[in-house]
DNA sequence: CCGTATCCCATCCGATACTG
DNA sequence: CAGTATCGGATGGGATACGG
């Protein structure tokens, strides 16, 4: 049994996200995509039902949340727990792998949030430098 | 002088990426977007010229690289150094803030790359569970 | 070499309606 | 409650051509 990395190495392709053909690029996009990052971040706080998640991720539509959760579940980052009751109850939570990913994602998110004043100041400098009149 | 966070607090809005109105959501999308993440990752290795970057970020078009670099420069994460020579020479590099952001981004990227076999295995389980025939 | 401008298509995504 | 189905507009993004 060889790993995916080893199979790529045989073709002399770099096995990393900078290579168009590497599957990690797709997974990274699920994780960092517009709704993927926010969904993982919300689930970092605990286990939630579908509509609870919708309220936590401000602005996400039913369609996109559903799509996002499916992609993350398929990648093994989110676990879906459906109870066959009526009305149905479904809970979503991070898998151990998903939690490790999200720890690193949250480090990034919180850093960006904390430095927004720097970013906003940079924008003003940039804009005023090229639209003086 | 108040910070952006304080102004949001006055409106009793959470100042974080989960709130639709918070500007940090837009910046996070620049950082984690399809080409933003890869461009920052490439610049983490050093200073590069436009076409050097294009080769490092496999698959990016001129248009998207240009657009991505502008957004990151505007947010104060990338510095553009143009030398008025002929032919022109332009170098891009991370700012100190950009470097701090990218450190956290690279932690995420490298973790995902290293766990791709787990992700791929999860996908096979997911797919075979719902398309048996 | 370092881009910008234009065209055009694919996909993303929100709104709405409907099902179990 | 927890979704799926469908539609149409907005956006993303590649190809090409052109300008400094």
């Amino acid at each position: 049994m060889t790993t995916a990395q080893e199979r790529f190495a045989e073709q002399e392709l770099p096995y990393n996200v900078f290579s168009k053909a590497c599957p990690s690029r797709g997974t990274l996009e699920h994780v960092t995509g517009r709704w993927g990052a926010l969904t993982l971040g919300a689930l970092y706080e605990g286990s939630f039902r579908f509509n609870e998640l919708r309220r936590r991720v401000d602005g996400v539509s039913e369609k996109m949340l559903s799509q996002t959760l499916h992609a993350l579940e398929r990648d093994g980052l989110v676990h879906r727990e459906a109870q066959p009751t009526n009305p149905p109850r479904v809970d979503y939570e991070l898998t151990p792998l998903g939690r490790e990913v999200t720890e690193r994602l949250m480090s990034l998110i919180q850093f960006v949030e904390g430095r927004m004043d720097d970013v906003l100041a940079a924008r003003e400098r940039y804009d005023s430098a090229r639209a003086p009149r």
Side-chain angles (χ1 to χ4, degrees), chain A:
Chain A
M1 177 54 185
T2 61
T3 66
Q5 285 89 332
E6 286 164 359
R7 291 190 295 279
F8 254 69
E10 288 167 15
Q11 305 168 52
E12 297 181 2
L13 284 171
Y15 192 82
N16 65 39
V17 90
F18 298 102
S19 170
K20 193 163 52 174
C22 179
S24 65
R25 186 180 283 195
T27 297
L28 184 69
E29 282 169 19
H30 295 160
V31 170
T32 62
R34 182 168 179 196
W35 301 120
L38 299 178
T39 301
L40 290 173
L43 286 171
Y44 194 62
E45 308 270 312
S47 170
F48 295 103
R49 303 172 66 173
F50 188 84
N51 283 303
E52 286 177 331
L53 275 175
R54 261 200 88 188
R55 281 186 290 277
R56 285 185 167 249
V57 180
D58 187 21
V60 70
S61 66
E62 287 188 356
K63 175 182 162 182
M64 291 316 297
L65 181 57
S66 172
Q67 221 171 83
T68 300
L69 284 169
H70 280 307
L72 295 175
E73 187 193 356
R74 190 167 102 99
D75 285 348
L77 305 177
V78 164
H79 175 68
R80 179 179 189 275
E81 183 90 21
Q83 291 167 34
T85 59
N86 195 314
R89 178 186 177 101
V90 182
D91 288 274
Y92 294 92
E93 61 187 348
L94 295 179
T95 63
L97 180 61
R99 180 153 291 274
E100 289 193 83
V101 167
T102 307
E103 280 169 12
R104 289 158 174 85
L105 179 65
M106 288 309 292
S107 165
L108 176 63
I109 288 179
Q110 286 165 0
F111 182 82
V112 170
E113 283 176 355
R115 297 295 216 102
M116 276 312 292
D117 277 331
D118 293 324
V119 170
L120 264 22
R123 283 189 192 170
E124 285 182 24
R125 263 180 274 116
Y126 183 95
D127 292 344
S128 66
R130 63 208 71 208
R133 58 194 127 280

